[in-house]
Amino acid sequence: MASPLEIDEVNENKGSMWDLEQKIDQPMDEEAGRLRNMYREKKFSALLLLRLAYQSLGVVYGDLGTSPLYVFYNTFPHGIEHREDVVGALSLIIYSLTLVPLLKYVFIVLRANDNGQGGTFALYSLLCRHANIKIIPNQHRTDEELTTYSRTAFHEKSFAAKTKRWLEEQAFIKSTILILVLVGTCMVIGDGILTPAISVLSAAGGIKVNRPEMDSGVVVLVAVVILVGLFSMQHYGTDRVGWLFAPIVLLWLLLIGGIGMYNLSRFGGNVLKAFSPLYVYRYLRNGRKKSWLSLGGILLSITGTEALFADLANFPVSSVQIAFTLIVFPCLLLAYSGQAAYLVDNLDHYQDAFYRSIPDRIYWPVFVIATLAAIVASQATITATFSIIKQALAHGCFPRVKVVHTSKKYLGQVYIPDINWILMVLCIAVTAGFKNQSQIGNAYGTAVVLVMLVTTLLMILVMILVWHCHWILVVVFTGLSLIVECTYFSAVLFKVDQGGWAPLAIAGVFLIVMYVWHYGTVKRYEFELHSKVSMAWILGLGPSLGLVRVPGIGLVYTELASGVPHIFSHFITNLPALHSVVVFVCVKYLPVYTVPEEERFLVKRIGPKNYHIFRCVARYGYKDLHKKDDDFEKKLFDNLFMFVRLESMMEGCSDSEYSLCEPQNEQSREFMLNNNGNTTSMSNVDFSVSSVDSIVPARSPSHVNVVTFQSSSHCTDIDELEFLNSCREAGVVHILGNTVVRASRDSRFYKKIAVDYIYAFLRKICRENSVIFNIPHESLLNVGQVFYV
């Protein structure tokens, strides 16, 4: 059910004012259309595409490229019985790489990016723009006018429209989609823990291959030291050393491809018959359950595929496709084929197939490059973890943590200190606790396949709502994807007790944290939404609001983008004075990757002019960061002053009156201002709403209540601007609501645990809003209230 609409003001706008508005709107619509076309039709030259394809190697393909370090050992952890098993495993690897990374992700899933952003929450944001499935209903129709708010239209009788209506009517389906997204996000976080562990440990294992007498504990110690160094350097970001990543990964891929060609020429190309799918059938038929269980190891050949999608930012899809098809895919096929050729003649070297297949002359150079490639692969997944947690924060699905932008050039490069140290501790615990690649590999495979399943389920909705695909294509894509992924999932389920429990336990903890936080956030929003104050009550108090209006400006922060929040009434009923100017400030995040700076702020007036009450809505995308500086307050006031000038220009200097009457008979137009000084007018609003949110109490049509405020001719925009400036100089006070959520007495025990303990604990340890908004302590005023759910 749609939330009730709050009527902030009803103005009679006639004559020249309407004409001026139409003139201003027309160029704005044309400009918005031009910008949208620029986003959609951006072209890249062939040379630029090749350069971007080269750069994408270091960011996107590090994880997928280091898989040859550990795949065959995890496929045959107990040894190889027959040479045909090696050929069968190679055949499975070849077709896994072809079906999942190449066909599904590179050529299909990457096209489902959200203006270049990938990952689970990017898909969710894309769906939220095409259907009203967001749990927190804080979007407004003006948000759809953003240049980055792109979405496709469809016919009302189409299958997409029917699916959209079905999703919007089912609250259970909305919650299910959100839980799916949270599960995928938690598995990506698990990926950020397990990738560094298995990649670095596998690379460091090369020391023991060349020095067999060395104890395994030394290898683990070396891996731990590398991991500590890796996580300790995260606060510098990847901007300074990112230029090294692409040449490292390119050199690594060329090396493993060259070593594969060397082994094929040395041990014969008989294994190339694995390109026939017949050997997949033979392998599974002959080995039965043992071959089935080995799928958990073969699954590791496609790890990093989800990171490929999550790290898509800053690269056009075509460049990523070129890099994979021309470099990554051929090099990986050569690397696995070469290892298979070596193993056929050396069945007892299954534990260290990669390092033992390296020619002696280049062993140590390859070891160094392997270690560097493992670090790059780890860095890519850690960065993806930071990015997806930032997206979860914007959707209200993660506790407030400190987010630092590490690059001025790239919007998506962020560093989250608290998460970084948690990842480091868990990563070291996994590395030192499991000690061998096999158990870590089982854990890794579980996390990877679950993320893939979540992506497949979300892609079904994307294909219907966004792409408008025919249902046959949707069924084909879904069927093929689920056959492959469910097959792998069934294999990893048998290894839950052999390390597969680790990502499930980690994801379970993060899922509880994220879901409980989101539940508390939704309940707090619903409390504000349903307890907001009627404008009739505000207007009944008169221009002074029944208080002494003292010089200054009060910024009242609220999560509501419309209506007067409950904390305001709580404030004025408990204190004898109020500031001369009141601005309700709403900072909200939209399901878009970014909001252009010139479109960030929306300003409007609430009530008559002599009340001096305004609203400012600051909009951000899930990649944007609320900066810790004075720019926010400065831009807010700049927009407020510009709004006053523009409003006066529209109305003229003649007398004007504000008429307030029954909402059933009136319509209003709201004039909003963006950073360019341009206006955006909202479409006419139907005011047939419940009496709770009306300007005046609901009465029968025969009892129309009209309140008229006459403004004198000398009250010009100059006077009001001077008044606002003098109030600003007198001081600005930031008023924040501190809503405490508690479970009611008759709640079930699990609800009491979730709300009174888990959510309360998370609220206690997370960052305060005053810190996020960079509010000076001496200018802060907290208004407390308790809400029972």
Side-chain angles (χ1 to χ4, degrees):
M1 182 182 295
S3 60
L5 176 65
E6 173 69 27
I7 305 173
D8 289 320
E9 63 173 344
V10 179
N11 292 335
E12 292 290 338
N13 302 305
K14 299 178 181 179
S16 60
M17 186 174 176
W18 178 267
D19 297 335
L20 178 60
E21 175 199 344
Q22 296 283 32
K23 292 176 183 177
I24 293 176
D25 284 344
Q26 187 174 1
M28 277 298 295
D29 291 340
E30 292 175 359
E31 178 69 10
R34 186 181 65 82
L35 289 173
R36 286 193 184 98
N37 289 334
M38 285 176 61
Y39 276 104
R40 293 174 183 172
E41 300 176 4
K42 194 173 184 179
K43 302 294 184 183
F44 296 90
S45 66
L47 188 61
L48 179 59
L49 271 180
L50 290 176
R51 184 165 64 87
L52 291 172
Y54 163 72
Q55 292 176 351
S56 71
L57 291 173
V59 177
V60 176
Y61 292 113
D63 191 7
L64 189 63
T66 53
S67 296
L69 285 169
Y70 44 77
V71 168
F72 276 109
Y73 170 56
N74 285 276
T75 303
F76 304 107
H78 306 296
I80 305 172
E81 295 181 1
H82 307 289
R83 288 184 171 85
E84 287 296 315
D85 291 345
V86 177
V87 178
L90 176 62
S91 186
L92 275 168
I93 291 171
I94 291 170
Y95 284 100
S96 296
L97 283 171
T98 303
L99 291 174
V100 180
L102 181 64
L103 295 182
K104 179 187 174 182
Y105 276 85
V106 172
F107 288 108
I108 299 177
V109 175
L110 289 189
R111 292 182 57 240
N113 65 86
D114 182 17
N115 287 285
Q117 309 298 316
T120 310
F121 265 106
L123 289 177
Y124 183 64
S125 297
L126 196 62
L127 292 173
C128 285
R129 295 206 301 273
H130 288 79
N132 185 21
I133 60 173
K134 194 175 181 183
I135 305 296
I136 303 178
N138 65 346
Q139 285 184 235
H140 201 276
R141 58 191 169 277
T142 53
D143 300 333
E144 299 175 10
E145 298 173 7
L146 290 169
T147 53
T148 53
Y149 199 100
S150 58
R151 63 176 180 177
T152 55
F154 38 77
H155 194 271
E156 290 186 2
K157 295 183 179 180
S158 64
F159 182 61
K162 294 177 182 178
T163 305
K164 176 178 179 291
R165 287 193 294 270
W166 177 71
L167 290 174
E168 293 176 344
E169 292 169 358
Q170 305 291 328
F172 174 75
I173 300 297
K174 293 182 181 180
S175 299
T176 302
I177 294 173
L178 177 65
I179 291 174
L180 265 179
V181 172
L182 295 183
V183 169
T185 302
C186 293
M187 288 302 167
V188 171
I189 295 172
D191 216 359
I193 296 167
L194 296 169
T195 298
I198 193 169
S199 299
V200 174
L201 186 61
S202 300
I207 302 175
K208 186 172 172 56
V209 173
N210 201 264
R211 298 286 186 271
E213 68 280 1
M214 186 177 293
D215 187 70
S216 299
V218 176
V219 176
V220 174
L221 181 61
V222 170
V224 169
V225 170
I226 294 174
L227 290 172
V228 170
L230 174 65
F231 283 100
S232 299
M233 299 294 289
Q234 289 301 310
H235 66 281
Y236 291 110
T238 58
D239 200 27
R240 297 182 183 179
V241 294
W243 60 275
L244 282 172
F245 289 177
I248 288 174
V249 175
L250 177 60
L251 181 58
W252 165 253
L253 290 171
L254 294 177
L255 272 175
I256 62 175
I259 293 170
M261 292 177 64
Y262 166 79
N263 287 316
L264 284 171
S265 63
R266 180 181 176 186
F267 298 101
N270 190 44
V271 294
L272 295 179
K273 61 186 179 183
F275 280 87
S276 169
L278 179 64
Y279 287 91
V280 173
Y281 168 73
R282 289 182 180 178
Y283 176 70
L284 295 175
R285 183 196 62 185
N286 297 335
R288 297 182 180 274
K289 185 179 180 180
K290 186 177 179 181
S291 297
W292 191 269
L293 293 178
S294 70
L295 292 176
I298 291 170
L299 172 64
L300 299 183
S301 64
I302 55 176
T303 56
T305 305
E306 192 63 35
L308 179 154
F309 183 41
D311 289 326
L312 180 63
N314 303 317
F315 297 104
V317 172
S318 51
S319 67
V320 177
Q321 292 172 335
I322 290 171
F324 187 83
T325 52
L326 296 184
I327 300 175
V328 181
F329 188 61
C331 289
L332 287 177
L333 291 182
L334 287 172
Y336 287 118
S337 300
Q339 283 190 52
Y342 175 83
L343 279 174
V344 166
D345 278 10
N346 301 274
L347 295 180
D348 55 333
H349 290 174
Y350 64 94
Q351 286 187 326
D352 309 299
F354 174 76
Y355 279 114
R356 290 185 178 274
S357 64
I358 299 173
D360 294 336
R361 293 182 179 179
I362 61 170
Y363 183 86
W364 288 113
V366 172
F367 169 77
V368 172
I369 298 299
T371 305
L372 292 175
I375 292 173
V376 172
S378 304
Q379 179 62 54
T381 54
I382 294 169
T383 303
T385 303
F386 291 156
S387 177
I388 203 166
I389 288 177
K390 173 66 175 69
Q391 295 178 28
L393 271 169
H395 284 84
C397 296
F398 203 87
R400 294 185 297 269
V401 290
K402 182 179 181 180
V403 179
V404 181
H405 268 174
T406 59
S407 173
K408 294 182 180 180
K409 294 189 295 183
Y410 301 110
L411 191 64
Q413 292 187 9
V414 295
Y415 165 66
I416 306 177
D418 299 331
I419 300 301
N420 180 67
W421 303 123
I422 292 173
L423 292 180
M424 186 187 77
V425 171
L426 292 176
C427 188
I428 292 174
V430 167
T431 305
F434 287 143
K435 294 184 180 180
N436 68 76
Q437 298 176 26
S438 180
Q439 289 183 320
I440 300 177
N442 294 336
Y444 195 17
T446 305
V448 169
V449 73
L450 283 173
V451 178
M452 290 181 179
L453 283 170
V454 169
T455 301
T456 297
L457 295 176
L458 293 177
M459 279 298 299
I460 296 173
L461 295 178
V462 170
M463 294 179 75
I464 295 173
L465 296 177
V466 183
W467 294 349
H468 310 154
C469 294
H470 195 277
W471 66 268
I472 295 179
L473 292 177
V474 178
V475 170
V476 170
F477 171 82
T478 306
L480 289 176
S481 298
L482 290 181
I483 288 173
V484 174
E485 290 158 12
C486 288
T487 301
Y488 280 124
F489 183 61
S490 65
V492 299
L493 281 179
F494 286 99
K495 297 187 177 183
V496 170
D497 61 335
Q498 301 172 32
W501 58 268
L504 298 178
I506 294 169
V509 173
F510 276 100
L511 180 61
I512 291 173
V513 168
M514 295 174 72
Y515 188 78
V516 169
W517 181 265
H518 184 264
Y519 176 80
T521 303
V522 170
K523 291 302 177 184
R524 288 178 61 219
Y525 181 83
E526 289 177 351
F527 169 71
E528 285 205 32
L529 183 66
H530 296 298
S531 62
K532 56 187 178 182
V533 182
S534 170
M535 279 299 298
W537 183 75
I538 297 292
L539 296 174
L541 297 176
S544 66
L545 299 179
L547 304 170
V548 177
R549 301 295 290 267
V550 297
I553 297 179
L555 300 181
V556 182
Y557 289 84
T558 173
E559 294 183 15
L560 296 178
S562 63
V564 179
H566 182 263
I567 62 165
F568 184 67
S569 64
H570 190 60
F571 176 78
I572 64 177
T573 53
N574 286 277
L575 292 176
L578 183 67
H579 301 90
S580 300
V581 178
V582 176
V583 182
F584 295 111
V585 181
C586 172
V587 178
K588 70 174 182 177
Y589 286 85
L590 302 177
V592 295
Y593 77 102
T594 186
V595 175
E597 192 69 31
E598 64 273 10
E599 301 179 57
R600 177 146 296 152
F601 290 92
L602 299 177
V603 180
K604 68 177 180 180
R605 185 188 297 277
I606 298 177
K609 277 188 175 181
N610 55 351
Y611 277 61
H612 301 299
I613 302 178
F614 301 88
R615 177 185 312 286
C616 176
V617 180
R619 305 175 295 180
Y620 292 85
Y622 55 79
K623 285 286 185 181
D624 293 329
L625 186 66
H626 186 82
K627 295 181 180 179
K628 288 185 60 178
D629 52 28
D630 297 330
D631 282 351
F632 178 78
E633 186 177 309
K634 179 180 179 298
K635 290 175 181 177
L636 188 153
F637 286 122
D638 288 345
N639 280 270
L640 178 61
F641 295 158
M642 181 64 72
F643 169 80
V644 171
R645 293 192 192 97
L646 186 61
E647 183 188 47
S648 178
M649 179 184 70
M650 285 180 166
E651 293 179 350
C653 296
S654 60
D655 291 352
S656 62
E657 60 179 23
Y658 295 80
S659 298
L660 301 164
C661 53
E662 282 297 324
Q664 286 85 347
N665 301 322
E666 295 293 339
Q667 287 185 327
S668 142
R669 292 191 66 86
E670 299 168 339
F671 297 92
M672 294 192 172
L673 185 73
N674 62 30
N675 280 2
N676 281 340
N678 298 320
T679 56
T680 301
S681 80
M682 298 161 52
S683 56
N684 287 346
V685 182
D686 183 8
F687 289 127
S688 301
V689 296
S690 63
S691 61
V692 176
D693 299 305
S694 302
I695 287 182
V696 295
R699 295 186 175 91
S700 62
S702 60
H703 295 87
V704 177
N705 180 21
V706 179
V707 184
T708 303
F709 296 87
Q710 186 75 24
S711 61
S712 60
S713 59
H714 71 272
C715 183
T716 65
D717 63 316
I718 303 298
D719 294 330
E720 187 167 17
L721 286 174
E722 289 179 354
F723 176 72
L724 290 175
N725 268 316
S726 63
C727 289
R728 184 182 180 185
E729 292 172 359
V732 178
V733 175
H734 302 260
I735 303 170
L736 285 177
N738 186 16
T739 305
V740 178
V741 182
R742 292 178 182 170
S744 56
R745 291 183 178 180
D746 57 345
S747 299
R748 296 180 181 271
F749 75 95
Y750 56 82
K751 187 175 182 179
K752 290 182 178 180
I753 293 174
V755 175
D756 293 343
Y757 294 97
I758 300 177
Y759 183 71
F761 174 73
L762 293 174
R763 286 261 299 176
K764 187 176 180 179
I765 64 173
C766 75
R767 307 188 87 207
E768 296 288 344
N769 275 326
S770 58
V771 178
I772 294 175
F773 297 142
N774 194 32
I775 298 175
H777 190 69
E778 62 273 12
S779 303
L780 174 64
L781 181 62
N782 272 310
V783 180
Q785 52 188 351
V786 180
F787 167 54
Y788 290 92
V789 295

